[in-house]
Amino acid sequence: MRFSQDEFEKLKNHLVLYRCVMKDMQTRVDVLQEDFNNLKQYNPIEHVKTRLKTPESIARKLNSRGIALTADDARQHLTDIAGIRCICSYAKDISDLAEIFKRQPDIKLLAEKDYVTNPKPSGYRSHHLILNVPVHLTDRTEHLAVELQIRTQAMDFWATLEHKARYKYNDAMPLHISQALEKCAQEIADLDERMYEIQRSVSLEI
Ligand code: 0O2
């Protein structure tokens, strides 16, 4: 099922707003990086990725949830049309960065999922915030949901491979692959922890 021509045109207008809110979020991250570099001399944000869901992917998600294929329904029900991912150096940085965003007074926290403290059964680790972010337009202010994912490089490496495997096996992953991935997820968590401890010792010695 696809959007009707009318709804597709409406959706295109909504997507312009989502592109604006992603630019806003990118700027907020740039500002934090400047501040970390200049004032704190430690920048925990290694890099940032943004992505906008395509109309096809929005339609798939609405269909899978049995929601009508309209632009307004997409905006009302989907909170991950605009996504931004911050990759941090160490696991400890993740909750600190989440707190920084939660403190921003013009942003409203809609939902929070801490899969670092409580990993998914698959082994997936990441901290998700669903944020309601204002976009100031020429004649009005709109608020849009953005999904912010915060994870370490190692968690990102794992999630990318697991996502690829999930896609290839169409959600019916062979047991030996899911078990191998689960084992790697635990090893990655241990490695993240050990790297943080080494970094702490090095900082204390300098
Ligand atoms: P994509 O293609 O990355 O966007 P939601 O479906 O998002 O409305 P849900 O399932 O409760 O609601 O959200 P959750 O669990 O916070 O997942 C949101 C996103 O996190 C997913 O988006 C993935 O990007 C990522 N994610 C969650 N669980 C896993 C996992 O087990 N493995 C991997 N690799 N990524 C995961 P989408 O829409 O599923 O996919």
Side-chain angles (χ1 to χ4, degrees):
M1 282 255 287
R2 298 167 67 165
F3 285 98
S4 68
Q5 194 56 42
D6 269 6
E7 289 302 329
F8 186 71
E9 291 307 318
K10 267 197 217 164
L11 183 66
K12 281 204 297 197
N13 290 329
H14 284 313
L15 290 180
V16 171
L17 301 181
Y18 281 106
R19 261 197 296 280
C20 294
V21 81
M22 279 198 327
K23 280 188 188 167
D24 178 292
M25 285 297 289
Q26 177 73 59
T27 304
R28 287 176 199 251
V29 176
D30 292 346
V31 168
L32 292 179
Q33 285 187 299
E34 288 278 352
D35 194 30
F36 277 126
N37 279 327
N38 293 330
L39 296 177
K40 312 207 190 316
Q41 288 166 355
Y42 167 65
N43 174 15
I45 306 169
E46 296 278 347
H47 56 269
V48 184
K49 298 178 198 170
T50 56
R51 76 106 184 83
L52 189 67
K53 255 195 188 328
T54 61
E56 294 74 26
S57 165
I58 293 171
R60 256 197 311 278
K61 197 152 196 173
L62 290 174
N63 275 328
S64 72
R65 294 191 179 175
I67 299 170
L69 283 195
T70 73
D72 289 346
D73 279 295
R75 177 133 169 216
Q76 190 185 334
H77 296 287
L78 303 188
T79 51
D80 65 343
I81 293 178
I84 180 158
R85 186 173 292 155
C86 288
I87 311 299
C88 290
S89 315
Y90 302 101
K92 165 79 178 67
D93 301 325
I94 296 175
S95 52
D96 292 350
L97 189 58
E99 288 308 312
I100 288 174
F101 277 100
K102 282 156 67 180
R103 276 203 302 271
Q104 297 202 350
D106 57 340
I107 285 185
K108 190 172 164 217
L109 178 69
L110 297 178
E112 179 167 21
K113 292 179 198 166
D114 181 357
Y115 298 127
V116 177
T117 311
N118 302 300
K120 285 197 158 185
S122 61
Y124 179 74
R125 285 168 171 79
S126 192
H127 195 127
H128 296 185
L129 298 180
I130 306 293
L131 304 170
N132 207 26
V133 181
V135 174
H136 303 293
L137 301 162
T138 49
D139 58 346
R140 66 196 191 282
T141 296
E142 297 260 359
H143 290 80
L144 292 109
V146 178
E147 182 179 86
L148 170 65
Q149 299 184 345
I150 313 173
R151 49 173 81 150
T152 62
Q153 302 212 49
M155 291 172 193
D156 193 47
F157 181 39
W158 182 94
T160 304
L161 178 59
E162 198 264 358
H163 189 272
K164 205 167 149 188
R166 199 179 277 267
Y167 184 76
K168 175 175 165 143
Y169 295 112
N170 211 1
D171 276 333
M173 210 185 291
L175 190 64
H176 70 283
I177 303 273
S178 60
Q179 284 176 339
L181 280 166
E182 216 183 306
K183 189 164 175 278
C184 280
Q186 187 52 56
E187 287 167 0
I188 275 172
D190 296 342
L191 185 68
D192 267 338
E193 178 65 33
R194 295 210 309 276
M195 292 292 278
Y196 173 66
E197 289 307 329
I198 295 170
Q199 185 266 350
R200 241 166 57 101
S201 315
V202 172
S203 310
L204 290 174
E205 278 171 24
I206 291 171

